[in-house]
Amino acid sequence: MSFRSNIGTTRTTRRYYRKNRCIAFSSSSCIPFVLCFLMIFWMKNTPQTSVTSMGVVALGHIGVNGEIDIGDEAGADTTTLSTLESTVGSRRIPPTPPPDTSSYINNGENEVTSCDCRWGGGEEDAEGVSNSEGARLAYLITVHNKQSIDNAAYLFQSIRHPSTIILLHIDTKVSKDTYLSSALRDEVERCSCGASVHVEAVHNCQWGRWSMNGPTHWAMDVLTSDDRFRGKWDVFINLSGDTMPVYQPSVMSKLFHPSTGPLRNTNFVTSSSCETGLLPTNVHIFPHWWHKWEHYNKNPDGDPVISYIDGNDGDAKEITMVTHFGSQWMALLPDFVEYVAKSLKNPNSLASRYRDFLINARKLMTDETFIPTLLVHAYPYNETLPVLKEDGSLDAMPSMKAIRYERMDEHVPSAFGYFNNQQRYEVPKSSEADEPKVWGPYFLGIYDLGDIVDSGALFIRKVSVNVDPNIVYMFPVSRESDIPYIRWPNELQISEKPNWERIKQEMMKKAKEEEEEKKVKEKQ
């Protein structure tokens, strides 16, 4: 199977009833009267501002075009912020509206009459920044089921830009009709907003297996060998479909600017869940009872020694490969991407020989170890690892402690005894979202915004409109001060979602039981 595409106020009515209002009626006629009154009272007094099933205060509503309607009383400033000079600063500035959730208008003839290309589509983008200012970003979006495809439509809307390349990999387990009938497909084919888009289904990824690396390596090969993309990008960033960028495309491009950006000349291969922050974690710092140490240190001879042929001078060499854990989600420079892509085509290269070792030894989690370990050992690319301050923040951008924010492995204490005691979002029973694995990644929501700000991350995962749509509509923003600093309360407990049909049935059952009990007493 192959997919290819290039592309009001609430009025309270008070009514007073005497305590024995129902005396004038027979007991049977009183029941519907009571029910009718309760229904009217409930409908008229349901507040328009309420706590949702996820515990988030919802103000107003999202319009049919994805615009936030917060009413005239709110006085909110919805003007797009134009300052791009800093991504850090004072807080409490209202965020820009979310992207249009249905960004094209179909006139009945399968033609596009309007697209919401607020991040770009002309000579300048929504922030007034020329397309030529900043790094050219090449993204890979990976999706593996209907839920991730639905979520990826929001991600696609948030990164499309005339200077952007977007590769979309659809897992071969996904049926063709699932993608063809999706909002993501509509966005890709009708509203690319100038981005170069390429879609394919190549790999069947099995969790924990080497196949998890397939989509990333496929994208690396396409970007370095396909004439349409080769030499036309400055940073490669791979994302899962349930990710959102924190910042708008122009901000991202500026941060990664090859000459002046604070993130220039750096390869990032970790996330916030990495034990050593922005640097890959040496497996030997873990306690010997920790599962990662145990799995990668079963060889009695120690770390694997890999024999290979150096691609530069043709000499036979050996190197001890100490496993380093990072993340499968990365931001990489072109020369390292090309090195990996070409090396994987050469069976005698370090990358190929190390790949073969991992496969033959049946190592798990290789999508978190292969590229981070290769980056740490392969010269000169190991000189492009992030340079950090003593507190673990990025030296060139101290506000950043992680490039991606996620919550993982909170079901047990960490290898070093830390246990996260914050609550987290669970998937409502009525939601279409998949339940996360026990170790995560867990879904994020509005109450996680404070931690996202503190991390300085550029991307967040995992998010879904079927768990907390508010956080999806929040991003991307133009600067950090656009993000409300909202954190989890000490403890949050919320009511169940009101269910009138159930309440009505319970009331009718109770009234019937009371009527039957009254009849029994009358007979005695």
Side-chain angles (χ1 to χ4, degrees):
M1 176 179 65
S2 177
F3 302 104
R4 297 179 184 269
S5 174
N6 293 306
I7 308 291
T9 300
T10 300
R11 179 171 60 91
T12 303
T13 301
R14 298 185 177 181
R15 298 181 179 179
Y16 296 89
Y17 292 88
R18 294 198 309 270
K19 183 177 180 180
N20 298 320
R21 184 68 173 176
C22 288
I23 294 178
F25 301 91
S26 67
S27 58
S28 60
S29 63
C30 185
I31 296 173
F33 174 82
V34 172
L35 291 176
C36 182
F37 163 69
L38 287 173
M39 182 181 291
I40 294 172
F41 184 83
W42 176 77
M43 293 174 65
K44 288 184 174 291
N45 289 277
T46 299
Q48 292 178 336
T49 300
S50 61
V51 178
T52 70
S53 60
M54 281 71 70
V56 177
V57 178
L59 301 177
H61 66 279
I62 303 299
V64 294
N65 292 321
E67 299 172 349
I68 299 179
D69 177 7
I70 55 177
D72 296 335
E73 295 97 327
D77 179 9
T78 58
T79 303
T80 300
L81 299 169
S82 60
T83 303
L84 290 175
E85 292 304 315
S86 174
T87 59
V88 296
S90 62
R91 303 188 174 103
R92 311 299 182 267
I93 297 178
T96 53
D100 189 345
T101 55
S102 56
S103 62
Y104 70 91
I105 298 175
N106 190 329
N107 62 9
E109 300 176 358
N110 295 322
E111 294 181 1
V112 181
T113 57
S114 177
C115 277
D116 180 12
C117 297
R118 69 182 64 197
W119 313 139
E123 292 301 317
E124 295 184 346
D125 70 5
E127 298 296 340
V129 177
S130 169
N131 298 337
S132 63
E133 295 182 14
R136 301 164 299 175
L137 306 180
Y139 286 100
L140 164 66
I141 301 176
T142 59
V143 295
H144 63 280
N145 58 17
K146 182 182 183 302
Q147 181 64 39
S148 60
I149 288 175
D150 291 344
N151 289 327
Y154 295 89
L155 171 58
F156 183 84
Q157 292 173 337
S158 301
I159 63 175
R160 59 190 178 192
H161 190 276
S163 66
T164 299
I165 296 170
I166 303 176
L167 306 182
L168 175 61
H169 182 273
I170 304 171
D171 197 290
T172 57
K173 293 188 295 293
V174 179
S175 70
K176 186 175 181 179
D177 288 342
T178 299
Y179 173 68
L180 294 179
S181 62
S182 69
L184 177 59
R185 185 251 184 134
D186 289 333
E187 295 291 338
V188 166
E189 297 190 1
R190 308 183 189 202
C191 280
S192 65
C193 297
S196 299
V197 183
H198 179 68
V199 182
E200 280 201 58
V202 181
H203 295 279
N204 179 357
C205 301
Q206 302 296 323
W207 185 88
R209 306 298 180 182
W210 175 260
S211 58
M212 292 290 290
N213 293 278
T216 297
H217 297 171
W218 164 79
M220 289 178 163
D221 182 48
V222 170
L223 291 173
T224 58
S225 63
D226 193 310
D227 290 338
R228 293 170 297 172
F229 311 121
R230 187 173 61 245
K232 298 178 182 179
W233 54 277
D234 302 303
V235 182
F236 165 61
I237 303 172
N238 64 333
L239 305 170
S240 62
D242 51 17
T243 302
M244 281 294 285
V246 174
Y247 299 109
Q248 298 167 5
S250 58
V251 180
M252 293 290 197
S253 291
K254 191 172 183 179
L255 292 173
F256 284 103
H257 193 292
S259 301
T260 61
L263 306 184
R264 68 187 184 278
N265 303 328
T266 306
N267 285 298
F268 296 91
V269 292
T270 67
S271 69
S272 61
S273 61
C274 185
E275 298 283 1
T276 48
L278 287 163
L279 290 175
T281 305
N282 186 318
V283 69
H284 293 299
I285 77 167
F286 291 117
H288 290 190
W289 50 266
W290 192 245
H291 66 285
K292 291 181 179 179
W293 189 94
E294 287 185 326
H295 183 66
Y296 274 88
N297 287 279
K298 291 181 178 179
N299 188 344
D301 297 328
D303 298 308
V305 177
I306 306 299
S307 300
Y308 68 100
I309 304 299
D310 192 309
N312 294 319
D313 53 25
D315 292 344
K317 297 182 179 181
E318 287 186 346
I319 185 173
T320 300
M321 298 291 279
V322 180
T323 300
H324 282 70
F325 275 85
S327 171
Q328 67 269 55
W329 314 113
M330 317 164 198
L332 304 175
L333 299 172
D335 56 349
F336 181 62
V337 171
E338 186 168 14
Y339 163 74
V340 174
K342 288 185 176 181
S343 295
L344 289 173
K345 294 178 181 179
N346 177 0
N348 297 314
S349 69
L350 174 59
S352 291
R353 292 286 178 85
Y354 184 51
R355 172 200 60 198
D356 295 343
F357 162 76
L358 293 173
I359 294 175
N360 293 332
R362 297 185 178 182
K363 296 301 183 184
L364 303 177
M365 304 171 284
T366 57
D367 53 333
E368 299 177 13
T369 60
F370 176 68
I371 289 181
T373 301
L374 201 60
L375 178 62
V376 167
H377 291 87
Y379 177 84
Y381 310 108
N382 51 11
E383 296 186 344
T384 64
L385 287 163
V387 178
L388 308 183
K389 291 180 174 294
E390 290 185 1
D391 64 355
S393 63
L394 188 67
D395 185 65
M397 189 174 168
S399 63
M400 178 182 285
K401 295 180 176 64
I403 192 168
R404 285 170 174 78
Y405 180 81
E406 62 186 7
R407 295 181 63 176
M408 290 193 68
D409 300 321
E410 297 179 7
H411 60 305
V412 293
S414 72
F416 306 102
Y418 172 75
F419 186 76
N420 192 321
N421 59 4
Q422 279 191 162
Q423 290 180 268
R424 57 178 180 260
Y425 290 81
E426 294 186 349
V427 179
K429 295 179 180 179
S430 60
S431 175
E432 296 179 359
D434 298 324
E435 190 72 34
K437 292 180 172 64
V438 64
W439 53 83
Y442 313 112
F443 283 105
L444 305 177
I446 289 297
Y447 285 115
D448 292 301
L449 288 176
D451 287 330
I452 292 170
V453 171
D454 289 342
S455 73
L458 304 184
F459 300 92
I460 60 172
R461 175 180 183 255
K462 155 178 193 178
V463 297
S464 173
V465 292
N466 292 313
V467 177
D468 187 358
N470 300 286
I471 197 168
V472 177
Y473 301 148
M474 172 69 69
F475 296 106
V477 298
S478 65
R479 55 184 177 181
E480 182 196 89
S481 55
D482 292 2
I483 309 172
Y485 195 75
I486 302 174
R487 297 178 58 87
W488 283 92
N490 181 50
E491 185 174 9
L492 180 68
Q493 184 170 345
I494 62 175
S495 66
E496 293 183 359
K497 183 178 180 179
N499 184 332
W500 171 245
E501 287 300 322
R502 187 187 68 191
I503 294 172
K504 183 177 66 174
Q505 292 299 324
E506 291 174 351
M507 291 172 63
M508 293 179 68
K509 180 180 178 181
K510 184 178 181 180
K512 187 175 181 180
E513 290 173 350
E514 290 177 350
E515 184 179 356
E516 293 295 331
E517 184 179 349
K518 184 178 180 179
K519 288 180 180 179
V520 171
K521 290 181 178 180
E522 289 176 350
K523 291 180 179 180
Q524 292 176 348

